[in-house]
Amino acid sequence: QVQLVESGGGLVQAGGSLRLSCAASGRTFSTYGMGWFRQAPGKEREFVAAVNWSGNNIYYTESVNGRFSISRDNAKNTMYLQMNSLKPEDTAVYYCAAGRAGTYPTKAYGYDYWGQGTQVTVSS
């Protein structure tokens, strides 16, 4: 069992930055693939970024590529999402997720555990 807790969300103006953190419980964090997803009001949950267990394989959705950066620190059982040049369309609840298999890193069904989410609001 893995418990995930997101933090770092908030209100920021367009063009600003935020850094999200996802703290994981348990001793097996380093064996899990990790991802960030987001869900805006009235929309489906969508993939944002993912990193494999070692940090060597990283994936981004096209809309955030070049603006967001995902990373992980296995020694601290924590994953991060650095978000720069934020846009109003980035407004959403951001969720972190952990998956044992790591087979489908860009798909929600590829993950076994989810956090409760943290709100990110970007004002224009």
Side-chain angles (χ1 to χ4, degrees):
Q1 186 78 8
V2 175
Q3 292 185 331
L4 304 172
V5 179
E6 303 96 336
S7 62
L11 174 64
V12 64
Q13 288 188 332
S17 298
L18 284 174
R19 188 193 196 200
L20 304 184
S21 298
C22 173
S25 65
R27 301 178 181 178
T28 58
F29 173 80
S30 63
T31 67
Y32 284 76
M34 300 294 295
W36 288 99
F37 289 75
R38 66 187 180 187
Q39 187 167 18
K43 295 187 177 181
E44 294 186 351
R45 190 171 298 191
E46 67 170 353
F47 168 75
V48 176
V51 58
N52 75 329
W53 67 273
S54 67
N56 290 334
N57 295 331
I58 288 176
Y59 311 85
Y60 296 103
T61 192
E62 184 175 354
S63 64
V64 308
N65 201 15
R67 299 188 297 123
F68 290 10
S69 178
I70 189 172
S71 62
R72 65 187 297 164
D73 186 337
N74 288 341
K76 295 183 178 180
N77 279 16
T78 304
M79 176 181 64
Y80 305 97
L81 185 67
Q82 178 66 44
M83 305 185 295
N84 299 327
S85 302
L86 283 161
K87 304 176 180 180
E89 51 263 43
D90 294 318
T91 295
V93 177
Y94 283 70
Y95 299 90
C96 71
R100 287 185 294 262
T103 306
Y104 302 102
T106 67
K107 304 296 185 182
Y109 57 71
Y111 293 87
D112 306 292
Y113 303 102
W114 293 83
Q116 293 300 306
T118 185
Q119 177 71 47
V120 172
T121 303
V122 184
S123 66
S124 56

